[in-house]
Amino acid sequence: MEERGEEKGVKEEMDGKREKKDMVEELLEAEGGSFSEEEMVDFCLSLLVAGYETTSVLMTVAVKFLTETPAALAQLKEEHENMTKMKGENQLLEWVDYKSMTFTQCVINETLRVANIIGGVFRRANTDIHFKGYTIPKGCKIFASFRAVHLNNEHYENARTFDPWRWQSNNKLQNEVGANLFTPFGGGPRLCPGYELARVVISVFLHHLVMRFSWEAAEEDRLVFFPTTRTLKGYPINLRRRPESV
């Protein structure tokens, strides 16, 4: 940030006012240049984690789960092949196509639930909270664990098993009660503003992946959850273009 701030001053003297080129320049000029270096660094890290890291990890984990669950992969392929036949070859995806990807959304929901890309969020108690015989005093910081709820067998049968079909049959997950049991994007006024965009990006990715390619795992890999959710090796795969998609 220090180097870019110095470069900005030199270049403005040489070239006059320049067009904004990237996030760093936006931050340097935002609010009249009043952001501190610490605030700008925090914005950049938040952008990388929330806007890139979470979605890319979710894509990787979805591919892993689908590879390990052939029946789910077959049904996903069938959904996208049928949609493509109805649209015609080489047609761009539209919003109505995205909304028709019902099983794709089941896959995304279940990947979010099992993997818990965001394990939880920190909050502060605005009042004394009484919960199961305990009192959390006003002002205390609280860590609300999404993983503890998403992997609880009281809420999800065989909670640690990847089962996208549960989202087709369990109406409880679609009502108000379910809203408190499935919170991969948080909730309330702090709901992630990019939750729908993330779903769109992953849906489009899965569409092109299953329509154009086949693959298998190149080597064994596993999920780890600390300090963040990820695969140890990045889940390497052997990728081949499907002959009919050439």
Side-chain angles (χ1 to χ4, degrees), residues 43 54-55 79 105 113-114 132 138 141 147 154 160 162 184 201 209 225:
F43 274 123
T54 50
T55 306
E79 176 173 270
Q105 298 310 309
R113 185 192 68 80
V114 177
K132 293 186 176 181
K138 177 181 178 180
K141 286 186 178 179
R147 184 176 289 113
E154 293 182 6
R160 295 183 180 273
F162 178 77
V201 170
L209 181 68
F225 299 98

Side-chain angles (χ1 to χ4, degrees), residues 49-68 73 76 98 104 107-113 115-118 162 185 194-210 215 221 223 229-231 234-237 239:
V49 173
Y52 171 77
E53 186 73 13
T54 50
T55 306
S56 61
V57 170
L58 185 61
M59 289 177 176
T60 304
V61 176
V63 172
K64 183 180 189 299
F65 287 162
L66 288 167
T67 306
E68 296 169 350
L73 179 57
L76 185 71
Y98 163 66
T104 302
V107 169
I108 293 172
N109 282 348
E110 188 67 350
T111 303
L112 286 164
R113 185 192 68 80
N116 293 286
I117 305 302
I118 301 298
F162 178 77
F185 297 103
Y195 76 95
E196 192 73 58
L197 175 61
R199 287 182 177 278
V200 171
V201 170
I202 296 164
S203 298
V204 173
F205 164 75
L206 289 174
H207 170 76
H208 290 291
L209 181 68
V210 301
W215 70 90
D221 202 356
L223 279 175
T229 299
R230 67 195 189 284
T231 54
Y235 197 64
I237 60 175
L239 192 68

Side-chain angles (χ1 to χ4, degrees), residues 18 34 39 50 68 76 89 91 99-100 108 112 121 134 144 160-161 169 187 189 203 206 210 212 223-224 232-233:
R18 304 167 62 245
S34 62
E39 288 174 322
E68 296 169 350
L76 185 71
E89 295 292 334
Q91 297 296 312
K99 299 303 286 186
S100 73
I108 293 172
L112 286 164
V121 292
Y134 294 90
R160 295 183 180 273
T161 300
S169 58
S203 298
L206 289 174
V210 301
R212 297 184 181 187
L223 279 175
V224 292
L232 276 178
K233 303 175 183 177

Side-chain angles (χ1 to χ4, degrees), residues 26-240:
E26 289 277 5
L27 289 170
L28 287 168
E29 297 184 5
E31 304 292 334
S34 62
F35 283 138
S36 68
E37 183 178 302
E38 183 179 354
E39 288 174 322
M40 290 188 287
V41 169
D42 184 65
F43 274 123
C44 285
L45 289 175
S46 297
L47 179 69
L48 288 171
V49 173
Y52 171 77
E53 186 73 13
T54 50
T55 306
S56 61
V57 170
L58 185 61
M59 289 177 176
T60 304
V61 176
V63 172
K64 183 180 189 299
F65 287 162
L66 288 167
T67 306
E68 296 169 350
T69 316
L73 179 57
Q75 187 166 337
L76 185 71
K77 286 181 178 178
E78 182 180 11
E79 176 173 270
H80 288 272
E81 287 170 352
N82 290 340
M83 183 182 70
T84 301
K85 288 177 183 177
M86 292 179 62
K87 284 179 63 67
E89 295 292 334
N90 301 319
Q91 297 296 312
L92 295 176
L93 291 176
E94 298 177 344
W95 184 256
V96 65
D97 302 316
Y98 163 66
K99 299 303 286 186
S100 73
M101 300 177 185
T102 54
F103 188 69
T104 302
Q105 298 310 309
C106 293
V107 169
I108 293 172
N109 282 348
E110 188 67 350
T111 303
L112 286 164
R113 185 192 68 80
V114 177
N116 293 286
I117 305 302
I118 301 298
V121 292
F122 286 99
R123 293 291 183 264
R124 188 184 300 277
N126 291 328
T127 63
D128 289 351
I129 298 173
H130 305 285
F131 181 73
K132 293 186 176 181
Y134 294 90
T135 297
I136 302 173
K138 177 181 178 180
C140 284
K141 286 186 178 179
I142 301 168
F143 181 74
S145 174
F146 299 157
R147 184 176 289 113
V149 178
H150 293 164
L151 299 181
N152 189 328
N153 284 310
E154 293 182 6
H155 305 316
Y156 299 93
E157 185 177 355
N158 298 318
R160 295 183 180 273
T161 300
F162 178 77
D163 178 11
W165 295 279
R166 76 171 79 239
W167 297 92
Q168 293 181 320
S169 58
N170 194 340
N171 292 327
K172 181 179 72 170
L173 299 177
Q174 314 301 333
N175 60 26
E176 291 183 7
V177 174
N180 295 321
L181 301 179
F182 184 60
T183 56
F185 297 103
R190 298 294 297 275
L191 178 69
C192 172
Y195 76 95
E196 192 73 58
L197 175 61
R199 287 182 177 278
V200 171
V201 170
I202 296 164
S203 298
V204 173
F205 164 75
L206 289 174
H207 170 76
H208 290 291
L209 181 68
V210 301
M211 291 301 297
R212 297 184 181 187
F213 301 97
S214 61
W215 70 90
E216 70 274 337
E219 54 185 289
E220 290 291 324
D221 202 356
R222 66 185 179 89
L223 279 175
V224 292
F225 299 98
F226 185 83
T228 59
T229 299
R230 67 195 189 284
T231 54
L232 276 178
K233 303 175 183 177
Y235 197 64
I237 60 175
N238 294 318
L239 192 68
R240 294 181 301 277

